[in-house]
Amino acid sequence: MSPEPPPRTVRGRGGRQWASLPGHGVRRRLGGGGTRVPPGTTGPARRTHDRESPVSETSACRVAIIGFGPRGFGCLERLAVEVSRRGSGRPPLFVTAHDPRSHPGAGPPYDPDQPDGMLLNFSARHVNIWSDDNTLVPPGERLDFVGWLGRYHPGWAAGDAFVPRRLLGSYLEEAFESLRAALPPGLEFRHVRGVVRDLEPAGAGWSIRHDDPSLDLAGVHQVMVATGHGTWSANRGFDAWNRELPDAPGTRRIAAVYPVVDRLSRDAVPDGAVVGMRGFALTAIDAALALTEGRGGTFEDQGDGIPRYRGPGGREVTVVPFSRSGLPLLAKPGAALVKRSSELTDVWEPLRRGILEADGLTPGALLQRLHRAGLRAVAALGGGVSRPAPRMGGVGSSPSSGPLRVMERSVLVASGLLPPDEGWARGEAWRQAYPAVVSRAGEGGMAAAFPAAFARLACAMERYAFGPPASNLARMVALASAGRVDLGAVRAPRIRAREDRLVLVGATSSYVLDVLVNAVIPPPGVHEATPVLLKLVRRGQASRAAGWEGVMVSPSAESIGRDGAPTPGLSIVGRATEGWVLGNDTLNRNLHDHTRRWAQRIVGESAVAVPESSRMTAGAPNG
Ligand SMILES: Cc1cc2nc3c(=O)[nH]c(=O)nc-3n(C[C@H](O)[C@H](O)[C@H](O)COP(=O)(O)OP(=O)(O)OC[C@H]3O[C@@H](n4cnc5c(N)ncnc54)[C@H](O)[C@@H]3O)c2cc1C
């Protein structure tokens, strides 16, 4: 293992400094003062067009939330809570949320219009979009997801169910309406339905440029970028890969899977087509189900954990997935196994404590801790493991049997039909340790000290820990048994052209493709697929964490610029910060505190009187 690098110092304006102490995951605040935006940093007002504004001319502090999925919603909710607490007589906050989608709060993964087969990959009882201290929204409207399901979809209300993502989208949409109705005096809100193209510093504030310039806003004091997975309008990661493929116009290429109703329609993927599927993870499972169950196929329970697939009759699609490793995801354990494992406090508590307290923890040492705890858990639950302790280089390498057997076994273990095994142990140890790992590795900790080794470990563990629900993996096994999913080229096939078609050349078989579907979503962080953020990085207003694509932020989500100081008025939250903040592309609001601290900071700063001359008029939000 390489020696630990010296502490990295991140400078704050106003004398604040944090020292990132690699190996300890602790960032100490060294200096005093905050990054409060002084009154002078507010830019002059500017009307960007002539439409009549429905917004008060006296709004003192203008906040723009770019992207209004679950995280954007969380930002608005926290602002509302903080504003309601600060008492009367303070300058109001004018908040705009910029997002083209017609389902505010839901975000594309939870599109309420998608088919039922697209399931959440964690159980409903983990989802609650509301903060505990929100007293603005009446309790009867501030339901957690299970409570909401009980009211509107009781068939799904068992807390351990993995429910269709579209239901979560409806829950989020309704939550947004409840929040909007309950916003406190002193917070004005508008939804601007447009795609943001760029964020430009203008004077001491920010201008927000949209694809539709008539929506542009100027003189914004605080911008929060919460663009998550982007707009899904294009997939530039695929474009680069695709350019390397041979010319073969007889094979249709589909750059992205979502929304499946449009991208995988019968027009796009005709019945009977042989479909090469780039990717073998959650998106590929969604795509395979959309092309089979979504076209009238059914799954019949056989009582042995793996259902039988019955096609709708007629010509059906054959899906040929492939990935670099060819390794399948493992199933999330069912409720009974989750409960049995949660009772092993003598295994998991010491694991978490050890991770938080160990001196100079390295990824290799972390792996050994996880392994030992996993073995103890398996033994306690009556399972068995025969393989030796993994080495860093070996974790995530080929399993001893083929992918179909691995998937099948994983389903049976997750359903309690086979005793826990090594795969379960790895996944469960990672899940149980995750909050401790996040705290220890993020924000200048182990992930900064050992970026390559930590990324390798995290990537390998995700396959074990954060796979699909057992029911969906079981469906993949059923589809493979029925020949609708063909694993004959699953590991790193070559791709050639024959006549005008692409051909997948696998270890045992070749497939002439009618369609090639990209089922790999762009990675987290900042890159070509996140153009707004990429411009901020190129201009030095945001900067990537060393060894990662994700950008650095302060504990209250301020973007750390190239100069190591927070960029005034710019904050970033969510997937774009992955690598600096770990595991934040999730609905779980308890793992990180950036949004709450951001809202406290913004509301605190907004108490500073804004000179009359810098008060703004609004654009023309539509919402
Ligand atoms: C298919 C899929 C399934 C998932 N399943 C789960 C799950 O089961 N459980 C879980 O915890 N997590 C899941 N996730 C992770 C998921 O991303 C997070 O749970 C959550 O959606 C993150 O919220 P977000 O608001 O940060 O990002 P998003 O949900 O991606 O929302 C970002 C919003 O920003 C908008 N936007 C983007 N760019 C712009 C722009 N330039 N201008 C204006 N608006 C813009 C988008 O329209 C979107 O509404 C899943 C992700 C995917 C892709």
Side-chain angles (χ1 to χ4, degrees):
M1 244 352 121
S2 54
E4 291 188 352
R8 173 179 179 147
T9 300
V10 179
R11 275 194 302 111
R13 294 198 197 281
R16 182 173 65 177
Q17 287 191 326
W18 303 290
S20 306
L21 302 176
H24 296 273
V26 179
R27 190 190 41 255
R28 289 196 196 129
R29 191 167 158 169
L30 301 178
T35 51
R36 214 171 68 158
V37 177
T41 62
T42 53
R46 182 154 74 85
R47 200 185 261 288
T48 53
H49 54 80
D50 296 332
R51 271 194 256 168
E52 193 181 345
S53 166
V55 178
S56 158
E57 297 272 328
T58 59
S59 297
C61 178
R62 177 172 289 195
V63 182
I65 301 169
I66 315 302
F68 202 66
R71 221 157 274 278
F73 172 92
C75 291
L76 179 65
E77 193 228 13
R78 287 314 309 170
L79 282 179
V81 171
E82 297 300 334
V83 165
S84 71
R85 286 204 179 128
R86 68 181 180 170
S88 57
R90 307 292 182 90
L93 233 62
F94 169 36
V95 183
T96 46
H98 303 248
D99 195 313
R101 295 174 52 77
S102 50
H103 304 293
Y110 310 112
D111 189 331
D113 299 329
Q114 65 193 312
D116 272 352
M118 317 286 104
L119 299 186
L120 277 176
N121 68 4
F122 68 25
S123 52
R125 75 188 152 83
H126 293 297
V127 183
N128 184 5
I129 198 67
W130 300 106
S131 307
D132 289 345
D133 58 348
N134 180 336
T135 51
L136 286 166
V137 178
E141 293 177 36
R142 214 184 333 120
L143 300 173
D144 64 15
F145 190 36
V146 171
W148 183 88
L149 287 168
R151 183 178 290 174
Y152 299 109
H153 302 277
W156 287 105
D160 293 309
F162 292 86
V163 310
R165 292 203 296 271
R166 74 174 178 81
L167 295 182
L168 182 66
S170 301
Y171 165 71
L172 294 169
E173 240 186 330
E174 196 172 307
F176 166 67
E177 290 307 332
S178 298
L179 176 63
R180 175 139 80 171
L183 289 175
L187 193 159
E188 295 182 46
F189 174 78
R190 291 291 182 273
H191 175 197
V192 182
R193 278 185 63 180
V195 176
V196 172
R197 184 168 48 82
D198 200 3
L199 303 168
E200 292 169 358
W206 291 82
S207 290
I208 301 180
R209 306 272 177 233
H210 297 81
D211 280 355
D212 172 0
S214 74
L215 299 173
D216 287 357
L217 285 184
V220 173
H221 303 104
Q222 292 287 343
V223 180
M224 166 56 100
V225 185
T227 45
H229 288 268
T231 54
W232 291 19
S233 55
N235 189 337
R236 295 172 205 208
F238 173 71
D239 295 344
W241 180 78
N242 188 28
R243 271 196 297 277
E244 303 296 313
L245 297 182
D247 196 27
T251 298
R252 176 178 295 174
R253 303 176 196 201
I254 297 179
V257 161
Y258 303 111
V260 293
V261 210
D262 302 327
R263 305 244 195 203
L264 303 183
S265 69
R266 280 198 162 84
D267 283 346
V269 183
D271 286 335
V274 176
V275 180
M277 182 83 67
R278 178 185 180 233
F280 192 35
L282 293 170
T283 306
I285 295 176
D286 277 356
L289 290 172
L291 290 169
T292 51
E293 192 180 24
R295 293 188 176 189
T298 53
F299 292 95
E300 285 169 15
D301 187 6
Q302 304 199 100
D304 62 359
I306 308 290
R308 172 177 300 170
Y309 177 71
R310 283 205 190 283
R315 299 172 71 227
E316 284 198 73
V317 165
T318 304
V319 176
V320 188
F322 62 93
S323 71
R324 251 192 309 233
S325 71
L327 296 171
L329 299 172
L330 301 196
K332 288 254 178 56
L337 186 51
V338 168
K339 182 165 180 306
R340 289 175 70 206
S341 172
S342 69
E343 287 159 2
L344 302 177
T345 46
D346 57 332
V347 176
W348 305 128
E349 278 304 327
L351 172 66
R352 287 189 280 260
R353 223 178 20 252
I355 291 170
L356 289 172
E357 292 172 1
D359 282 336
L361 189 66
T362 63
L366 171 61
L367 176 61
Q368 297 308 324
R369 283 174 186 270
L370 295 166
H371 181 71
R372 284 195 299 272
L375 287 188
R376 289 184 59 209
V378 168
L381 297 181
V385 173
S386 54
R387 296 175 73 186
R391 284 166 298 109
M392 275 301 289
V395 68
S397 61
S398 306
S400 46
S401 52
L404 187 57
R405 291 281 83 77
V406 172
M407 289 156 64
E408 192 170 5
R409 181 177 178 83
S410 167
V411 170
L412 298 180
V413 169
S415 316
L417 297 167
L418 281 180
D421 63 358
E422 184 196 9
W424 171 84
R426 282 194 180 172
E428 185 65 4
W430 188 249
R431 283 185 293 265
Q432 293 284 348
Y434 201 59
V437 172
V438 164
S439 142
R440 191 65 208 259
E443 298 180 63
M446 189 173 22
F450 307 100
F454 183 81
R456 207 165 51 243
L457 176 64
C459 178
M461 286 303 183
E462 293 224 338
R463 183 174 84 76
Y464 294 101
F466 300 137
S471 58
N472 264 5
L473 198 64
R475 288 182 162 103
M476 283 296 275
V477 174
L479 288 172
S481 305
R484 299 282 49 91
V485 168
D486 188 324
L487 300 177
V490 75
R491 183 163 188 199
R494 278 168 299 144
I495 305 184
R496 299 243 164 98
R498 189 182 304 158
E499 295 170 3
D500 70 339
R501 306 283 196 89
L502 290 175
V503 181
L504 278 186
V505 184
T508 52
S509 319
S510 295
Y511 303 84
V512 180
L513 302 183
D514 300 303
V515 182
L516 176 65
V517 173
N518 176 46
V520 176
I521 57 175
V526 174
H527 39 64
E528 291 292 313
T530 59
V532 174
L533 286 151
L534 191 58
K535 286 177 205 164
L536 295 171
V537 167
R538 287 189 175 145
R539 292 197 292 253
Q541 292 144 345
S543 56
R544 293 194 177 94
W548 296 86
E549 288 208 294
V551 294
M552 294 190 290
V553 291
S554 77
S556 66
E558 294 157 293
S559 172
I560 305 299
R562 192 187 291 145
D563 61 357
T567 300
L570 181 65
S571 303
I572 303 174
V573 75
R575 196 168 160 83
T577 67
E578 187 66 38
W580 180 254
V581 181
L582 294 166
N584 55 27
D585 188 28
T586 169
L587 290 163
N588 184 341
R589 288 185 64 176
N590 298 324
L591 213 49
H592 307 97
D593 220 13
H594 296 81
T595 305
R596 190 182 57 79
R597 288 189 291 245
W598 167 80
Q600 280 175 347
R601 176 168 60 79
I602 300 303
V603 172
E605 287 166 2
S606 75
V608 177
V610 177
E612 200 66 35
S613 62
S614 61
R615 291 190 178 157
M616 293 156 298
T617 52
N622 49 359

